Amino acid sequence: MLASAQVETTLLVLKLAFLVLLYLFIWRIVRSAARDLRLSQESMILAPQQAAAAGLLPQLSARETGRLVVLASPALDEGDVFTLDSHALTMGRGTTNDVSLPEDEYSSTRHARFEPRRDGVWIEDIGSTNGTFVNGIRLTRERKLVPGDVVRIGETDLRFEP
């Protein structure tokens, strides 16, 4: 009887020690999680500007995606070439455009935009009065240019070349 009482007492002590260790373990987990929640955490997702500032993005150079050759214009010289790179190019009579056509009375202040994209160069009429034409057809929505297309902005004719 005495041996069984000692065994029961030992088992009870072991159970209590196990429960104490279990509660200590849970308490450490909760304390660690609470500490992590209190700390300010920075996002691992960076905006493109932040990534570029940190030097994580390769430096992209403006790559040529095509060019516009002047065929006829009252404002530009025949044969002038405008290179299209990775940036959009605007044309119109206003001085804020990339290519200004002040002597072209039929072009609007902001007439058309050429936008290079991954799949090619697209042209869009940006609210001109007289319209933008590609191969003699008036644009009603943006259109992808193909080599040889002739674009008319006011009285200015341009040919798209790759």
Side-chain angles (χ1 to χ4, degrees):
M1 184 109 159
L2 182 64
S4 78
Q6 285 180 341
V7 171
E8 285 183 25
T9 305
T10 305
L11 286 175
L12 181 62
V13 170
L14 287 174
K15 285 180 186 178
L16 288 174
F18 176 73
L19 284 174
V20 168
L21 287 174
L22 182 65
Y23 282 117
L24 281 174
F25 178 72
I26 292 172
W27 176 74
R28 293 280 311 251
I29 291 173
V30 169
R31 193 178 91 186
S32 176
R35 187 179 326 126
D36 288 344
L37 290 175
R38 280 192 303 261
L39 294 176
S40 64
Q41 295 181 359
E42 293 185 23
S43 174
M44 293 305 292
I45 300 173
L46 298 176
Q49 298 84 2
Q50 293 170 322
L56 300 174
L57 293 178
Q59 295 299 324
L60 298 175
S61 61
R63 65 179 176 89
E64 185 176 329
T65 57
R67 55 194 206 142
L68 298 170
V69 179
V70 177
L71 300 176
S73 174
L76 305 170
D77 293 331
E78 187 176 330
D80 280 354
V81 176
F82 299 98
T83 303
L84 299 168
D85 55 22
S86 57
H87 303 86
L89 179 100
T90 58
M91 284 191 173
R93 209 170 3 148
T95 57
T96 58
N97 292 298
D98 299 312
V99 178
S100 182
L101 307 169
E103 291 88 23
D104 191 340
E105 296 177 6
Y106 291 96
S107 67
S108 296
T109 304
R110 288 186 40 83
H111 199 103
R113 176 177 47 239
F114 296 88
E115 186 175 350
R117 298 180 187 168
R118 290 183 183 201
D119 61 342
V121 176
W122 291 73
I123 183 171
E124 176 184 13
D125 185 283
I126 50 178
S128 68
T129 305
N130 295 322
T132 303
F133 296 83
V134 176
N135 299 326
I137 301 170
R138 186 175 184 147
L139 288 179
T140 55
R141 58 189 165 118
E142 61 184 14
R143 177 180 178 213
K144 182 179 175 183
L145 292 175
V146 296
D149 277 349
V150 175
V151 177
R152 185 170 186 91
I153 296 173
E155 291 184 308
T156 301
D157 291 332
L158 307 147
R159 183 179 59 243
F160 174 69
E161 296 177 353

